Amino acid sequence: LLTIAGAVFDHQGETPGLGAEINTDEFEEQFQGKKIFSDSGDFVSIMVNKAGIPETINSVDAISGGTITSKGLEDMLYDCLSVYTSFINNQK
């Protein structure tokens, strides 16, 4: 329940070779096994970090050249997942 099993993204308006990389297997597979809660139980969502920042249990590498898409995805994940924190906490 507390580990991401998979993620699928798509956005038709993205620039080929840049933000359009959001729906590649390489990008989507990074989410498998990630956590949206810290070890202390706080909701943290998933961080989408620029290359060079060490990956953590709740972060993935951003899309190279797709900064706006990566930041938008990070914000979307936080906003959409945060509304389920009470439900998820009740399932623990």
Side-chain angles (χ1 to χ4, degrees):
L1 178 64
L2 299 177
T3 303
I4 296 174
V8 177
F9 304 107
D10 194 17
H11 193 283
Q12 296 177 352
E14 297 297 339
T15 305
L18 297 175
E21 301 298 308
I22 195 170
N23 68 344
T24 62
D25 290 342
E26 182 180 354
F27 181 71
E28 293 173 340
E29 288 171 357
Q30 295 183 89
F31 290 83
Q32 292 175 347
K34 297 297 178 173
K35 308 259 186 200
I36 62 171
F37 288 89
S38 69
D39 289 338
S40 61
D42 298 320
F43 173 73
V44 293
S45 191
I46 300 294
M47 303 293 293
V48 184
N49 295 329
K50 291 184 178 183
I53 297 177
E55 195 172 314
T56 67
I57 196 65
N58 69 315
S59 71
V60 298
D61 288 335
I63 300 164
S64 180
T67 304
I68 294 172
T69 300
S70 296
K71 181 62 178 153
L73 175 65
E74 180 179 286
D75 291 346
M76 182 218 42
L77 289 171
Y78 185 90
D79 292 344
C80 292
L81 294 172
S82 65
V83 299
Y84 292 100
T85 56
S86 294
F87 172 78
I88 294 168
N89 283 327
N90 287 332
Q91 303 303 308
K92 290 182 184 177

